[in-house]
PDB file of all heavy atoms in Angstrom:
ATOM      1  N   GLN A   1       7.561   6.009  -7.070  1.00 98.00           N
ATOM      2  CA  GLN A   1       8.020   5.476  -5.838  1.00 98.00           C
ATOM      3  C   GLN A   1       6.844   5.092  -4.906  1.00 98.00           C
ATOM      4  O   GLN A   1       5.960   5.923  -4.716  1.00 98.00           O
ATOM      5  CB  GLN A   1       8.927   6.496  -5.142  1.00 98.00           C
ATOM      6  CG  GLN A   1       9.535   5.968  -3.803  1.00 98.00           C
ATOM      7  CD  GLN A   1      10.404   4.735  -4.022  1.00 98.00           C
ATOM      8  OE1 GLN A   1      11.370   4.797  -4.706  1.00 98.00           O
ATOM      9  NE2 GLN A   1       9.972   3.633  -3.370  1.00 98.00           N
ATOM     10  N   LEU A   2       6.871   3.924  -4.357  1.00 98.00           N
ATOM     11  CA  LEU A   2       5.909   3.568  -3.324  1.00 98.00           C
ATOM     12  C   LEU A   2       6.474   3.997  -1.996  1.00 98.00           C
ATOM     13  O   LEU A   2       7.713   4.050  -1.798  1.00 98.00           O
ATOM     14  CB  LEU A   2       5.741   1.993  -3.302  1.00 98.00           C
ATOM     15  CG  LEU A   2       4.875   1.436  -4.437  1.00 98.00           C
ATOM     16  CD1 LEU A   2       5.024  -0.108  -4.430  1.00 98.00           C
ATOM     17  CD2 LEU A   2       3.472   1.790  -4.291  1.00 98.00           C
ATOM     18  N   ILE A   3       5.584   4.379  -1.086  1.00 97.00           N
ATOM     19  CA  ILE A   3       5.939   4.941   0.216  1.00 97.00           C
ATOM     20  C   ILE A   3       5.356   4.047   1.342  1.00 97.00           C
ATOM     21  O   ILE A   3       4.111   3.808   1.311  1.00 97.00           O
ATOM     22  CB  ILE A   3       5.481   6.381   0.318  1.00 97.00           C
ATOM     23  CG1 ILE A   3       6.154   7.211  -0.764  1.00 97.00           C
ATOM     24  CG2 ILE A   3       5.792   6.938   1.699  1.00 97.00           C
ATOM     25  CD1 ILE A   3       5.570   8.591  -0.913  1.00 97.00           C
ATOM     26  N   LYS A   4       6.137   3.651   2.304  1.00 96.00           N
ATOM     27  CA  LYS A   4       5.600   2.882   3.442  1.00 96.00           C
ATOM     28  C   LYS A   4       4.829   3.795   4.334  1.00 96.00           C
ATOM     29  O   LYS A   4       5.387   4.804   4.809  1.00 96.00           O
ATOM     30  CB  LYS A   4       6.811   2.241   4.145  1.00 96.00           C
ATOM     31  CG  LYS A   4       7.536   1.165   3.435  1.00 96.00           C
ATOM     32  CD  LYS A   4       8.651   0.577   4.215  1.00 96.00           C
ATOM     33  CE  LYS A   4       9.272  -0.585   3.458  1.00 96.00           C
ATOM     34  NZ  LYS A   4      10.410  -1.207   4.210  1.00 96.00           N
ATOM     35  N   PRO A   5       3.589   3.443   4.586  1.00 94.00           N
ATOM     36  CA  PRO A   5       2.766   4.321   5.453  1.00 94.00           C
ATOM     37  C   PRO A   5       3.244   4.345   6.905  1.00 94.00           C
ATOM     38  O   PRO A   5       3.728   3.323   7.420  1.00 94.00           O
ATOM     39  CB  PRO A   5       1.356   3.686   5.338  1.00 94.00           C
ATOM     40  CG  PRO A   5       1.604   2.330   4.916  1.00 94.00           C
ATOM     41  CD  PRO A   5       2.859   2.312   4.089  1.00 94.00           C
ATOM     42  N   ARG A   6       3.065   5.470   7.557  1.00 93.00           N
ATOM     43  CA  ARG A   6       3.413   5.595   8.971  1.00 93.00           C
ATOM     44  C   ARG A   6       2.121   5.501   9.855  1.00 93.00           C
ATOM     45  O   ARG A   6       2.253   4.979  10.985  1.00 93.00           O
ATOM     46  CB  ARG A   6       4.119   6.913   9.230  1.00 93.00           C
ATOM     47  CG  ARG A   6       5.459   7.101   8.610  1.00 93.00           C
ATOM     48  CD  ARG A   6       6.026   8.454   8.935  1.00 93.00           C
ATOM     49  NE  ARG A   6       7.277   8.728   8.285  1.00 93.00           N
ATOM     50  CZ  ARG A   6       7.999   9.827   8.488  1.00 93.00           C
ATOM     51  NH1 ARG A   6       7.541  10.820   9.360  1.00 93.00           N
ATOM     52  NH2 ARG A   6       9.104  10.057   7.834  1.00 93.00           N
ATOM     53  N   VAL A   7       1.074   6.060   9.391  1.00 92.00           N
ATOM     54  CA  VAL A   7      -0.124   6.189  10.239  1.00 92.00           C
ATOM     55  C   VAL A   7      -0.922   4.875  10.264  1.00 92.00           C
ATOM     56  O   VAL A   7      -1.327   4.431  11.348  1.00 92.00           O
ATOM     57  CB  VAL A   7      -0.997   7.307   9.730  1.00 92.00           C
ATOM     58  CG1 VAL A   7      -2.332   7.395  10.531  1.00 92.00           C
ATOM     59  CG2 VAL A   7      -0.288   8.648   9.856  1.00 92.00           C
ATOM     60  N   SER A   8      -1.149   4.243   9.127  1.00 87.00           N
ATOM     61  CA  SER A   8      -1.953   3.057   9.063  1.00 87.00           C
ATOM     62  C   SER A   8      -1.222   1.927   8.337  1.00 87.00           C
ATOM     63  O   SER A   8      -0.774   2.178   7.210  1.00 87.00           O
ATOM     64  CB  SER A   8      -3.304   3.350   8.418  1.00 87.00           C
ATOM     65  OG  SER A   8      -4.087   2.160   8.279  1.00 87.00           O
ATOM     66  N   LYS A   9      -1.164   0.803   8.917  1.00 83.00           N
ATOM     67  CA  LYS A   9      -0.517  -0.360   8.260  1.00 83.00           C
ATOM     68  C   LYS A   9      -1.531  -1.135   7.425  1.00 83.00           C
ATOM     69  O   LYS A   9      -1.200  -2.161   6.855  1.00 83.00           O
ATOM     70  CB  LYS A   9       0.139  -1.290   9.331  1.00 83.00           C
ATOM     71  CG  LYS A   9       1.209  -0.585  10.137  1.00 83.00           C
ATOM     72  CD  LYS A   9       2.314   0.002   9.286  1.00 83.00           C
ATOM     73  CE  LYS A   9       3.375   0.654  10.104  1.00 83.00           C
ATOM     74  NZ  LYS A   9       4.476   1.262   9.306  1.00 83.00           N
ATOM     75  N   LYS A  10      -2.763  -0.689   7.429  1.00 89.00           N
ATOM     76  CA  LYS A  10      -3.800  -1.390   6.638  1.00 89.00           C
ATOM     77  C   LYS A  10      -4.249  -0.432   5.500  1.00 89.00           C
ATOM     78  O   LYS A  10      -4.389   0.794   5.712  1.00 89.00           O
ATOM     79  CB  LYS A  10      -5.043  -1.703   7.510  1.00 89.00           C
ATOM     80  CG  LYS A  10      -4.772  -2.847   8.457  1.00 89.00           C
ATOM     81  CD  LYS A  10      -6.094  -3.303   9.205  1.00 89.00           C
ATOM     82  CE  LYS A  10      -5.879  -4.496  10.050  1.00 89.00           C
ATOM     83  NZ  LYS A  10      -7.190  -4.895  10.678  1.00 89.00           N
ATOM     84  N   LEU A  11      -4.494  -1.056   4.360  1.00 92.00           N
ATOM     85  CA  LEU A  11      -4.979  -0.283   3.221  1.00 92.00           C
ATOM     86  C   LEU A  11      -6.519  -0.464   3.129  1.00 92.00           C
ATOM     87  O   LEU A  11      -7.010  -1.581   3.315  1.00 92.00           O
ATOM     88  CB  LEU A  11      -4.321  -0.804   1.906  1.00 92.00           C
ATOM     89  CG  LEU A  11      -2.778  -0.717   1.878  1.00 92.00           C
ATOM     90  CD1 LEU A  11      -2.278  -1.294   0.530  1.00 92.00           C
ATOM     91  CD2 LEU A  11      -2.382   0.746   1.953  1.00 92.00           C
ATOM     92  N   GLY A  12      -7.221   0.664   2.870  1.00 90.00           N
ATOM     93  CA  GLY A  12      -8.627   0.561   2.757  1.00 90.00           C
ATOM     94  C   GLY A  12      -9.040  -0.255   1.562  1.00 90.00           C
ATOM     95  O   GLY A  12      -8.358  -0.295   0.524  1.00 90.00           O
ATOM     96  N   SER A  13     -10.208  -0.903   1.637  1.00 90.00           N
ATOM     97  CA  SER A  13     -10.660  -1.724   0.505  1.00 90.00           C
ATOM     98  C   SER A  13     -10.900  -0.909  -0.752  1.00 90.00           C
ATOM     99  O   SER A  13     -10.585  -1.406  -1.854  1.00 90.00           O
ATOM    100  CB  SER A  13     -11.970  -2.454   0.891  1.00 90.00           C
ATOM    101  OG  SER A  13     -12.963  -1.538   1.274  1.00 90.00           O
ATOM    102  N   ARG A  14     -11.391   0.300  -0.632  1.00 90.00           N
ATOM    103  CA  ARG A  14     -11.595   1.115  -1.790  1.00 90.00           C
ATOM    104  C   ARG A  14     -10.290   1.426  -2.493  1.00 90.00           C
ATOM    105  O   ARG A  14     -10.145   1.404  -3.682  1.00 90.00           O
ATOM    106  CB  ARG A  14     -12.314   2.416  -1.445  1.00 90.00           C
ATOM    107  CG  ARG A  14     -12.623   3.316  -2.601  1.00 90.00           C
ATOM    108  CD  ARG A  14     -13.363   4.588  -2.198  1.00 90.00           C
ATOM    109  NE  ARG A  14     -13.697   5.372  -3.336  1.00 90.00           N
ATOM    110  CZ  ARG A  14     -12.866   6.298  -3.898  1.00 90.00           C
ATOM    111  NH1 ARG A  14     -11.617   6.377  -3.451  1.00 90.00           N
ATOM    112  NH2 ARG A  14     -13.193   6.972  -4.965  1.00 90.00           N
ATOM    113  N   PHE A  15      -9.248   1.744  -1.660  1.00 92.00           N
ATOM    114  CA  PHE A  15      -7.942   2.061  -2.186  1.00 92.00           C
ATOM    115  C   PHE A  15      -7.331   0.889  -2.915  1.00 92.00           C
ATOM    116  O   PHE A  15      -6.838   1.012  -4.015  1.00 92.00           O
ATOM    117  CB  PHE A  15      -7.013   2.479  -1.054  1.00 92.00           C
ATOM    118  CG  PHE A  15      -5.581   2.718  -1.439  1.00 92.00           C
ATOM    119  CD1 PHE A  15      -5.176   3.884  -2.044  1.00 92.00           C
ATOM    120  CD2 PHE A  15      -4.633   1.695  -1.305  1.00 92.00           C
ATOM    121  CE1 PHE A  15      -3.833   4.063  -2.478  1.00 92.00           C
ATOM    122  CE2 PHE A  15      -3.330   1.911  -1.700  1.00 92.00           C
ATOM    123  CZ  PHE A  15      -2.958   3.056  -2.271  1.00 92.00           C
ATOM    124  N   LYS A  16      -7.466  -0.290  -2.326  1.00 91.00           N
ATOM    125  CA  LYS A  16      -6.882  -1.517  -2.933  1.00 91.00           C
ATOM    126  C   LYS A  16      -7.631  -1.856  -4.238  1.00 91.00           C
ATOM    127  O   LYS A  16      -6.969  -2.246  -5.192  1.00 91.00           O
ATOM    128  CB  LYS A  16      -6.974  -2.682  -1.933  1.00 91.00           C
ATOM    129  CG  LYS A  16      -6.043  -2.561  -0.783  1.00 91.00           C
ATOM    130  CD  LYS A  16      -5.953  -3.770   0.089  1.00 91.00           C
ATOM    131  CE  LYS A  16      -7.261  -4.025   0.821  1.00 91.00           C
ATOM    132  NZ  LYS A  16      -7.175  -5.158   1.749  1.00 91.00           N
ATOM    133  N   ASN A  17      -8.906  -1.725  -4.255  1.00 91.00           N
ATOM    134  CA  ASN A  17      -9.687  -1.994  -5.426  1.00 91.00           C
ATOM    135  C   ASN A  17      -9.427  -1.051  -6.595  1.00 91.00           C
ATOM    136  O   ASN A  17      -9.415  -1.429  -7.744  1.00 91.00           O
ATOM    137  CB  ASN A  17     -11.235  -1.990  -5.130  1.00 91.00           C
ATOM    138  CG  ASN A  17     -11.617  -3.134  -4.179  1.00 91.00           C
ATOM    139  OD1 ASN A  17     -11.011  -4.206  -4.195  1.00 91.00           O
ATOM    140  ND2 ASN A  17     -12.741  -2.918  -3.443  1.00 91.00           N
ATOM    141  N   LEU A  18      -9.160   0.215  -6.193  1.00 89.00           N
ATOM    142  CA  LEU A  18      -8.957   1.275  -7.170  1.00 89.00           C
ATOM    143  C   LEU A  18      -7.495   1.174  -7.802  1.00 89.00           C
ATOM    144  O   LEU A  18      -7.353   1.352  -9.029  1.00 89.00           O
ATOM    145  CB  LEU A  18      -9.171   2.639  -6.519  1.00 89.00           C
ATOM    146  CG  LEU A  18      -9.311   3.819  -7.460  1.00 89.00           C
ATOM    147  CD1 LEU A  18     -10.663   3.698  -8.215  1.00 89.00           C
ATOM    148  CD2 LEU A  18      -9.422   5.109  -6.635  1.00 89.00           C
ATOM    149  N   THR A  19      -6.591   0.915  -6.981  1.00 92.00           N
ATOM    150  CA  THR A  19      -5.138   0.976  -7.429  1.00 92.00           C
ATOM    151  C   THR A  19      -4.510  -0.393  -7.627  1.00 92.00           C
ATOM    152  O   THR A  19      -3.497  -0.491  -8.345  1.00 92.00           O
ATOM    153  CB  THR A  19      -4.284   1.711  -6.380  1.00 92.00           C
ATOM    154  OG1 THR A  19      -4.276   0.984  -5.185  1.00 92.00           O
ATOM    155  CG2 THR A  19      -4.851   3.129  -6.098  1.00 92.00           C
ATOM    156  N   ASN A  20      -5.047  -1.459  -7.012  1.00 92.00           N
ATOM    157  CA  ASN A  20      -4.448  -2.778  -7.016  1.00 92.00           C
ATOM    158  C   ASN A  20      -3.092  -2.793  -6.364  1.00 92.00           C
ATOM    159  O   ASN A  20      -2.219  -3.640  -6.577  1.00 92.00           O
ATOM    160  CB  ASN A  20      -4.268  -3.342  -8.434  1.00 92.00           C
ATOM    161  CG  ASN A  20      -5.637  -3.709  -9.076  1.00 92.00           C
ATOM    162  OD1 ASN A  20      -6.502  -4.224  -8.367  1.00 92.00           O
ATOM    163  ND2 ASN A  20      -5.821  -3.284 -10.317  1.00 92.00           N
ATOM    164  N   ILE A  21      -2.840  -1.797  -5.433  1.00 94.00           N
ATOM    165  CA  ILE A  21      -1.698  -1.750  -4.639  1.00 94.00           C
ATOM    166  C   ILE A  21      -1.888  -2.664  -3.396  1.00 94.00           C
ATOM    167  O   ILE A  21      -2.901  -2.529  -2.746  1.00 94.00           O
ATOM    168  CB  ILE A  21      -1.263  -0.369  -4.246  1.00 94.00           C
ATOM    169  CG1 ILE A  21      -0.882   0.476  -5.473  1.00 94.00           C
ATOM    170  CG2 ILE A  21      -0.078  -0.334  -3.240  1.00 94.00           C
ATOM    171  CD1 ILE A  21      -0.623   1.956  -5.158  1.00 94.00           C
ATOM    172  N   SER A  22      -0.943  -3.464  -3.035  1.00 94.00           N
ATOM    173  CA  SER A  22      -1.072  -4.341  -1.889  1.00 94.00           C
ATOM    174  C   SER A  22       0.047  -3.994  -0.857  1.00 94.00           C
ATOM    175  O   SER A  22       1.070  -3.391  -1.223  1.00 94.00           O
ATOM    176  CB  SER A  22      -0.980  -5.798  -2.282  1.00 94.00           C
ATOM    177  OG  SER A  22       0.380  -6.058  -2.741  1.00 94.00           O
ATOM    178  N   MET A  23      -0.153  -4.431   0.395  1.00 94.00           N
ATOM    179  CA  MET A  23       0.914  -4.214   1.370  1.00 94.00           C
ATOM    180  C   MET A  23       2.157  -4.970   1.080  1.00 94.00           C
ATOM    181  O   MET A  23       3.291  -4.572   1.428  1.00 94.00           O
ATOM    182  CB  MET A  23       0.368  -4.535   2.769  1.00 94.00           C
ATOM    183  CG  MET A  23      -0.485  -3.453   3.443  1.00 94.00           C
ATOM    184  SD  MET A  23       0.301  -1.844   3.540  1.00 94.00           S
ATOM    185  CE  MET A  23       1.793  -2.203   4.453  1.00 94.00           C
ATOM    186  N   ASP A  24       2.005  -6.135   0.430  1.00 95.00           N
ATOM    187  CA  ASP A  24       3.181  -6.976   0.051  1.00 95.00           C
ATOM    188  C   ASP A  24       4.044  -6.161  -0.949  1.00 95.00           C
ATOM    189  O   ASP A  24       5.287  -6.167  -0.811  1.00 95.00           O
ATOM    190  CB  ASP A  24       2.722  -8.268  -0.621  1.00 95.00           C
ATOM    191  CG  ASP A  24       2.144  -9.262   0.419  1.00 95.00           C
ATOM    192  OD1 ASP A  24       2.460  -9.067   1.617  1.00 95.00           O
ATOM    193  OD2 ASP A  24       1.386 -10.124   0.004  1.00 95.00           O
ATOM    194  N   GLU A  25       3.365  -5.481  -1.909  1.00 95.00           N
ATOM    195  CA  GLU A  25       4.134  -4.666  -2.857  1.00 95.00           C
ATOM    196  C   GLU A  25       4.821  -3.477  -2.184  1.00 95.00           C
ATOM    197  O   GLU A  25       5.973  -3.160  -2.487  1.00 95.00           O
ATOM    198  CB  GLU A  25       3.154  -4.140  -3.967  1.00 95.00           C
ATOM    199  CG  GLU A  25       3.901  -3.425  -5.050  1.00 95.00           C
ATOM    200  CD  GLU A  25       2.910  -2.874  -6.138  1.00 95.00           C
ATOM    201  OE1 GLU A  25       1.675  -3.080  -5.977  1.00 95.00           O
ATOM    202  OE2 GLU A  25       3.413  -2.211  -7.038  1.00 95.00           O
ATOM    203  N   ILE A  26       4.090  -2.851  -1.237  1.00 96.00           N
ATOM    204  CA  ILE A  26       4.665  -1.719  -0.493  1.00 96.00           C
ATOM    205  C   ILE A  26       5.870  -2.156   0.342  1.00 96.00           C
ATOM    206  O   ILE A  26       6.891  -1.473   0.361  1.00 96.00           O
ATOM    207  CB  ILE A  26       3.638  -1.043   0.333  1.00 96.00           C
ATOM    208  CG1 ILE A  26       2.531  -0.380  -0.521  1.00 96.00           C
ATOM    209  CG2 ILE A  26       4.228   0.011   1.245  1.00 96.00           C
ATOM    210  CD1 ILE A  26       1.355   0.107   0.227  1.00 96.00           C
ATOM    211  N   ASN A  27       5.672  -3.298   1.022  1.00 95.00           N
ATOM    212  CA  ASN A  27       6.800  -3.757   1.860  1.00 95.00           C
ATOM    213  C   ASN A  27       8.044  -4.090   1.061  1.00 95.00           C
ATOM    214  O   ASN A  27       9.167  -3.995   1.526  1.00 95.00           O
ATOM    215  CB  ASN A  27       6.350  -4.965   2.723  1.00 95.00           C
ATOM    216  CG  ASN A  27       5.357  -4.611   3.787  1.00 95.00           C
ATOM    217  OD1 ASN A  27       5.360  -3.484   4.293  1.00 95.00           O
ATOM    218  ND2 ASN A  27       4.426  -5.504   4.124  1.00 95.00           N
ATOM    219  N   GLU A  28       7.814  -4.588  -0.167  1.00 96.00           N
ATOM    220  CA  GLU A  28       8.979  -4.957  -1.019  1.00 96.00           C
ATOM    221  C   GLU A  28       9.642  -3.753  -1.658  1.00 96.00           C
ATOM    222  O   GLU A  28      10.879  -3.720  -1.727  1.00 96.00           O
ATOM    223  CB  GLU A  28       8.532  -5.995  -2.094  1.00 96.00           C
ATOM    224  CG  GLU A  28       9.670  -6.501  -2.920  1.00 96.00           C
ATOM    225  CD  GLU A  28       9.253  -7.591  -3.858  1.00 96.00           C
ATOM    226  OE1 GLU A  28       8.034  -7.982  -3.840  1.00 96.00           O
ATOM    227  OE2 GLU A  28      10.115  -8.079  -4.622  1.00 96.00           O
ATOM    228  N   TYR A  29       8.837  -2.820  -2.175  1.00 97.00           N
ATOM    229  CA  TYR A  29       9.387  -1.774  -2.931  1.00 97.00           C
ATOM    230  C   TYR A  29       9.253  -0.381  -2.304  1.00 97.00           C
ATOM    231  O   TYR A  29       9.849   0.626  -2.807  1.00 97.00           O
ATOM    232  CB  TYR A  29       8.709  -1.647  -4.339  1.00 97.00           C
ATOM    233  CG  TYR A  29       8.873  -2.928  -5.124  1.00 97.00           C
ATOM    234  CD1 TYR A  29       7.779  -3.806  -5.280  1.00 97.00           C
ATOM    235  CD2 TYR A  29      10.082  -3.254  -5.710  1.00 97.00           C
ATOM    236  CE1 TYR A  29       7.946  -5.006  -6.036  1.00 97.00           C
ATOM    237  CE2 TYR A  29      10.270  -4.441  -6.438  1.00 97.00           C
ATOM    238  CZ  TYR A  29       9.190  -5.257  -6.590  1.00 97.00           C
ATOM    239  OH  TYR A  29       9.321  -6.421  -7.339  1.00 97.00           O
ATOM    240  N   GLY A  30       8.567  -0.233  -1.177  1.00 97.00           N
ATOM    241  CA  GLY A  30       8.330   1.081  -0.585  1.00 97.00           C
ATOM    242  C   GLY A  30       9.506   1.528   0.277  1.00 97.00           C
ATOM    243  O   GLY A  30      10.291   0.705   0.789  1.00 97.00           O
TER     244      GLY A  30
END
């Protein structure tokens, strides 16, 4: 399950590079 963040609406570059998770994916499935 993807989870919509409450604290930060931005994903860190390291996190995105490591997981390939995007905010578009989170907004659709989170």
Side-chain angles (χ1 to χ4, degrees):
Q1 182 62 61
L2 286 169
I3 299 170
K4 291 181 178 179
R6 295 182 183 180
V7 175
S8 176
K9 301 302 180 182
K10 287 187 176 182
L11 301 176
S13 57
R14 183 179 181 278
F15 174 83
K16 289 188 291 185
N17 293 334
L18 198 64
T19 65
N20 291 318
I21 295 174
S22 67
M23 279 305 303
D24 288 340
E25 185 183 1
I26 292 172
N27 289 331
E28 184 173 358
Y29 300 107

